[in-house]
Amino acid sequence: MAHHNDSTTASASGATPEGPPWQSRPARSGPDAAMSARPGAAVTAAADQISAPPRSLPASAVRAALDVMPQQMAVLDTQGVILLCNRAWNDFMTENGGDPATCGPGVNYLRVCENALGPSADEGQEVAGGLRRVLGGQADSFSAEYPCHSPHEERWFRLIVTPFDDGPTRFLMITHENITERRHAEIREADLDAEVRQEVAQRTLDLRSEMDELDSFIGSVSHDLRAPVRHIQGFLTLLRRRLNPRLDDEDRRLLGTLDGAALRLQSMIDELLKLARVAQTSLPVRDLNLTPVVLRAWANIAPETEGRQIDWVAGDLPVVRGDPQLLTLAFENLLGNAVKYTSGRPHARIEVGARDGGDHWVVFVQDDGVGFDSRYAGRLFSAFQRLHTEREFSGVGMGLVNVKRIVSRHGGQVWAESQPGQGATFHVSFPKPAPADT
């Protein structure tokens, strides 16, 4: 919506700006191309129409007030005809090759917008519609932003339509504000955001590659350690058989300690292998109701609950996108933890439920066991980190690491809340399936 004119009456150099053609050519003159007030009865009448402020402010003072405004401004009547325009409007018209006959007072600005052709036709129709809504009282105001580039620079403007009344008569104030600096700042910000996103994506790719290499290393080393540990266990058994008649209580205690250490080392190696498999296993996701997944996990750990009195409570669980094998393993670890840490209760309660988190589901596993100090909750999901001693509860501290890895691969998060002696609640979030996928 540039205030210029590249009609056949323009100079022979042809160096006119690139603004929308519907603002600048006589056949498609533009809504912001009006520029100079022509002397005569029409302008005088227009000034008289808007010169009724308190204390009888003269029309010349109204014109002077408009002329000191830096924005291009014009006043329209109820038919959309330009009655008056300020100095900035005139200057812009002159600098951009505009013609008062197509840009100044007496020109029907509304018709110009309605008859816009070429690339700016859509903008012209939008402005015309906004003018009509304001004139008809359906809208209090109207604004639109548009490009108005010249051969020498890129420019953007914002058009603002504001109504005002003089008694029963309605007028429109048209303002064109230069927003080029703001748009350039937005473009720079968008470019910076794109650069940051690209850098983050590259770093994520590099990190994923490093993690894959680390998982492969863990799997390889863990596999290689299995044989030596089996040898240690085998020789300890052989040694005990050969020396059994001569062993005293202290000897048997020492051999038992070695057996326990070897067994613990074997368990740690097994857990590391599980972690490596979780990371390297392909993820064939599909729509998955978590209810049968949790029931299957509970059935798998049933031997651990023999002789126990446990109230098992399962609420309605959602459908998520996931791999059934890995998610079953995750809930086996969560439920197994709940069973383990409620072992001191003669009658325990374990509950699995879910709540709607907006764009994700939150599934929780809650128990009434020994709990833990929530200040150290972050350690729960680190390898070989435990908040209870081996004498209190057995384990190597890898189960929740596997849970975190599995949930992360499904695009979710896991966290825990607890207080000592008040049980624990583990929360797992899953993104909701897209509507097209459900």
Side-chain angles (χ1 to χ4, degrees):
M1 293 189 285
H3 311 312
H4 59 267
N5 183 9
D6 54 358
S7 67
T8 55
T9 60
S11 62
S13 66
T16 57
E18 275 180 31
W22 54 276
Q23 296 174 358
S24 56
R25 299 179 176 86
R28 343 168 184 166
S29 50
D32 53 14
M35 300 302 150
S36 78
R38 295 174 296 178
V43 176
T44 303
D48 290 341
Q49 284 180 305
I50 62 171
S51 61
R55 299 182 185 177
S56 300
L57 185 67
S60 58
V62 176
R63 276 197 292 268
L66 292 177
D67 284 341
V68 299
M69 300 299 293
Q71 299 89 355
Q72 295 92 52
M73 305 177 73
V75 177
L76 310 187
D77 65 13
T78 55
Q79 303 302 313
V81 175
I82 298 174
L83 301 176
L84 182 69
C85 45
N86 70 346
R87 180 181 294 121
W89 187 293
N90 292 332
D91 291 345
F92 193 88
M93 177 270 294
T94 303
E95 293 168 2
N96 290 276
D99 181 359
T102 58
C103 305
V107 174
N108 192 308
Y109 191 81
L110 180 58
R111 296 277 187 277
V112 169
C113 298
E114 290 177 334
N115 296 328
L117 300 173
S120 299
D122 290 342
E123 293 175 4
Q125 295 302 317
E126 180 186 4
V127 172
L131 288 171
R132 289 194 178 281
R133 287 194 297 276
V134 175
L135 282 171
Q138 288 86 28
D140 294 333
S141 62
F142 171 77
S143 65
E145 296 183 3
Y146 60 93
C148 178
H149 305 320
S150 77
H152 311 293
E153 63 175 336
E154 291 184 333
R155 301 179 300 194
W156 286 266
F157 285 81
R158 181 182 181 218
L159 175 143
I160 306 170
V161 179
T162 307
F164 65 93
D165 298 320
D166 180 21
T169 306
R170 168 151 289 203
F171 299 91
L172 297 185
M173 177 67 76
I174 305 297
T175 305
H176 292 273
E177 178 185 7
N178 192 324
I179 59 170
T180 301
E181 185 175 345
R182 192 200 80 195
R183 288 300 299 269
H184 280 161
E186 291 173 351
I187 291 171
R188 287 192 297 269
E189 184 178 353
D191 290 343
L192 179 61
D193 288 345
E195 183 179 343
V196 170
R197 284 195 297 270
Q198 183 177 1
E199 183 175 350
V200 170
Q202 183 60 48
R203 289 187 179 181
T204 301
L205 185 63
D206 294 342
L207 181 61
R208 185 176 292 115
S209 176
E210 292 174 5
M211 290 295 294
D212 289 343
E213 292 177 3
L214 179 61
D215 290 331
S216 297
F217 172 76
I218 290 173
S220 176
V221 170
S222 300
H223 189 273
D224 292 343
L225 287 175
R226 279 181 133 180
V229 172
R230 283 197 300 268
H231 291 161
I232 292 173
Q233 291 174 318
F235 283 121
L236 282 172
T237 300
L238 182 61
L239 184 62
R240 181 180 286 103
R241 287 175 182 172
R242 287 186 176 182
L243 300 179
N244 188 48
R246 292 175 287 172
L247 293 176
D248 58 23
D249 291 343
E250 179 63 14
D251 294 334
R252 289 188 176 86
R253 187 188 69 79
L254 292 175
L255 285 174
T257 300
L258 290 175
D259 280 334
L263 184 61
R264 180 172 173 78
L265 181 57
Q266 182 64 52
S267 297
M268 294 172 70
I269 293 171
D270 291 342
E271 293 297 332
L272 282 173
L273 282 171
K274 287 181 183 178
L275 181 64
R277 291 192 188 107
V278 165
Q280 296 170 358
T281 302
S282 61
L283 202 65
V285 298
R286 59 181 175 83
D287 286 350
L288 196 64
N289 189 322
L290 286 180
T291 298
V293 170
V294 171
L295 292 176
R296 189 180 308 115
W298 182 257
N300 291 346
I301 65 168
E304 302 174 27
T305 67
E306 290 183 6
R308 297 278 307 277
Q309 290 188 357
I310 300 176
D311 288 339
W312 162 249
V313 181
D316 292 333
L317 299 180
V319 173
V320 301
R321 295 283 292 173
D323 171 64
Q325 300 297 330
L326 290 181
L327 290 181
T328 299
L329 177 60
F331 280 102
E332 282 181 19
N333 279 288
L334 291 172
L335 294 172
N337 260 13
V339 170
K340 179 196 301 185
Y341 292 108
T342 58
S343 59
R345 285 187 173 275
H347 197 148
R349 185 179 190 274
I350 299 174
E351 179 180 0
V352 180
R355 62 179 174 83
D356 192 335
D359 60 351
H360 61 278
W361 293 108
V362 178
V363 180
F364 63 86
V365 177
Q366 187 175 62
D367 64 64
D368 58 355
V370 295
F372 57 86
D373 190 332
S374 59
R375 292 179 298 174
Y376 308 111
R379 291 173 52 188
L380 291 171
F381 304 99
S382 299
F384 305 121
Q385 295 292 312
R386 307 188 67 224
L387 302 185
H388 300 278
T389 66
E390 177 73 17
R391 182 171 298 178
E392 291 176 301
F393 299 99
S394 63
V396 297
M398 287 296 293
L400 292 176
V401 178
N402 271 330
V403 172
K404 182 178 180 180
R405 180 67 65 90
I406 292 170
V407 173
S408 295
R409 291 197 66 190
H410 285 78
Q413 295 180 314
V414 58
W415 66 98
E417 297 174 340
S418 179
Q419 291 297 330
Q422 298 180 22
T425 303
F426 286 82
H427 304 270
V428 181
S429 70
F430 295 98
K432 286 186 177 179
D437 296 331
T438 57

